[in-house]
Amino acid sequence: MSRGNATLKDLAKKLDLSIATVSRALSGRSSMPKATRERVETAAREAGYIPNRAARSLVSGRTGLAALALSERHADSLNEPVCYLITELSSALSHHGIDLLLTTVKPGQSDMEVVDEIIHARKADALILTGVRDGDPRIAPLVQTGFPFVAYGRPQEPDAWTTWVDSDATSAAVQAAQLLVDLGHRRFVLIRSPEDTTFRDRWTMSVKHTLTLGGVPPAQVTTLTIKQRDRATLLPEIKDALERVEPTAILALDDDLALASIDAATGLGWHVPEQLSVIGFGASRAGTLLPPGLTTFDPDVRQCAKCLAQVLDALLGGGDPRAHSLRHSIRPKLVSRGSHCPVRNAPVEDLSEIRKRHMENA
């Protein structure tokens, strides 16, 4: 049996097991004893066994794939957070014997058409939803057909559906807003994306609630919802808001918007953080490279990906769903860098003490 050419029959003969037993052990969907499964998996690795996906699909009725549908916007601009999510998802799913299938929403096609195609053509065994919206129309057909899915984002209503993994927008929003209030800031611009997602809505609501309760006098809060993400449109929008409101701080929904805010402020001759504090979300690599270093929140995409894979594995029969939580809320962690400081002439505590307190609360 040469390495790389092994068949199920070869493995069964070597291990003195039936072909059916070897097949079940390698499928990752069997309740057979752990020792037997590990013995088969070890022998398969040593022999360089490569399963025939087409043959396995005919026998099991499964593809071994989980689909991640990328919107046209994501496909046209695979930015760092999206690429990182794809990489971590692929790795996490592979540990459960599942491969990641990327599919795009083509121009003129709707998200619903992609979901319908995946369900009815059985292109994948399960679906991962991103960009989840309140009342998302993709959810109902998935629930009605019983097609396995997990949302990367939670619903506004707790019981709208049961399978989701979420980076907790509320905790990050509250901590960011309170940090700036503690530093004496009272005039804010909130910058958010045009995509109507539950993450955006919870972040906005939590920031506004914290700012209106957090200081005396009450904070002045202006919300800027950008029209589109291309910099030719984005930078003038932000510059206009800065000149109109003259904020001392910006809270941005993601790092791309936060870094664009720093660019816009610099273009107006403003100094960050002395004249304008900026806090983002996402912990992108660019935030570490561009001065003064962006204060942001790390959503722990790796842990989110592991939880997404765990939920899918449980739904597809790799484990007892009752033994695993099908809802996971991951708390982002504050990454304190150089883009925030006390507002000028404000009677605030020493910055190091404020940072220490917020890091302890993270």
Side-chain angles (χ1 to χ4, degrees):
M1 179 169 62
S2 61
R3 180 173 176 82
N5 295 321
T7 65
L8 281 178
K9 184 177 179 181
D10 294 329
L11 290 173
K13 183 178 179 180
K14 178 182 179 181
L15 296 168
D16 194 23
L17 296 170
S18 70
I19 293 176
T21 298
V22 173
S23 178
R24 288 198 305 273
L26 293 175
S27 72
R29 300 288 180 266
S30 172
S31 58
M32 70 171 49
K34 181 180 178 182
T36 303
R37 176 183 284 121
E38 290 180 346
R39 181 176 166 228
V40 173
E41 289 174 346
T42 300
R45 283 194 299 272
E46 291 174 350
Y49 170 73
I50 302 173
N52 184 311
R53 182 180 295 280
R56 187 173 64 185
S57 179
L58 287 173
V59 173
S60 66
R62 289 185 171 173
T63 65
L65 300 171
L68 174 67
L70 295 178
S71 68
E72 183 182 354
R73 177 183 66 81
H74 281 150
D76 288 342
S77 57
L78 285 179
N79 55 23
E80 182 182 339
V82 176
C83 290
Y84 187 32
L85 174 62
I86 291 170
T87 300
E88 293 299 330
L89 259 178
S90 180
S91 175
L93 287 168
S94 69
H95 288 292
H96 297 279
I98 305 169
D99 288 329
L100 182 64
L101 170 68
L102 296 180
T103 180
T104 60
V105 179
K106 303 175 183 63
Q109 190 179 32
S110 70
D111 287 343
M112 274 304 309
E113 288 174 310
V114 172
V115 170
D116 285 341
E117 188 177 332
I118 291 171
I119 293 174
H120 297 298
R122 300 299 298 191
K123 287 188 170 182
D125 301 324
L127 183 63
I128 302 160
L129 297 180
T130 60
V132 178
R133 308 184 294 280
D134 190 25
D136 198 309
R138 298 172 295 175
I139 302 294
L142 290 166
V143 173
Q144 290 167 2
T145 60
F147 192 85
F149 79 96
V150 57
Y152 188 29
R154 77 172 73 178
Q156 296 285 27
E157 296 297 328
D159 297 320
W161 66 87
T162 59
T163 52
W164 52 262
V165 174
D166 182 58
S167 187
D168 188 0
T170 298
S171 65
V174 168
Q175 192 176 355
Q178 191 60 57
L179 171 59
L180 291 171
V181 167
D182 287 349
L183 293 172
H185 294 274
R186 296 293 182 271
R187 203 160 57 250
F188 298 86
V189 169
L190 314 185
I191 302 183
R192 62 183 196 171
S193 62
E195 295 83 27
D196 181 17
T197 65
T198 57
F199 181 91
R200 188 193 74 168
D201 293 344
R202 288 199 319 279
W203 179 86
T204 305
M205 180 177 64
S206 300
V207 168
K208 286 184 175 180
H209 181 73
T210 304
L211 292 179
T212 53
L213 296 179
V216 180
Q220 174 187 335
V221 183
T222 300
T223 302
L224 171 63
T225 303
I226 63 168
K227 296 182 178 66
Q228 51 191 23
R229 284 183 175 270
D230 68 279
R231 294 180 76 80
T233 302
L234 178 60
L235 290 181
E237 282 189 84
I238 297 175
K239 285 181 179 179
D240 177 67
L242 292 177
E243 291 180 313
R244 282 188 295 104
V245 179
E246 295 186 353
T248 63
I250 281 180
L251 282 162
L253 183 68
D254 59 54
D255 282 2
D256 285 346
L257 296 177
L259 293 170
S261 300
I262 293 176
D263 284 350
T266 301
L268 292 174
W270 294 22
H271 297 285
V272 175
E274 293 82 6
Q275 291 175 274
L276 182 71
S277 288
V278 181
I279 296 181
F281 184 95
S284 67
R285 180 173 172 77
T288 68
L289 301 176
L290 299 178
L294 179 65
T295 295
T296 183
F297 283 80
D298 182 355
D300 200 348
V301 172
R302 178 171 295 174
Q303 182 60 30
C304 289
K306 288 181 178 179
C307 291
L308 287 166
Q310 177 186 311
V311 172
L312 285 181
D313 184 53
L315 293 174
L316 291 174
D320 184 354
R322 295 168 298 180
H324 301 281
S325 172
L326 300 181
R327 301 177 179 182
H328 296 267
S329 181
I330 311 301
R331 184 168 185 174
K333 298 176 182 178
L334 175 67
V335 181
S336 186
R337 300 195 185 112
S339 64
H340 71 292
C341 72
V343 72
R344 288 179 175 179
N345 304 319
V348 296
E349 305 171 49
D350 179 77
L351 178 58
S352 62
E353 290 300 316
I354 292 176
R355 282 178 171 168
K356 180 180 179 182
R357 184 169 68 250
H358 281 269
M359 291 296 286
E360 289 173 348
N361 293 332

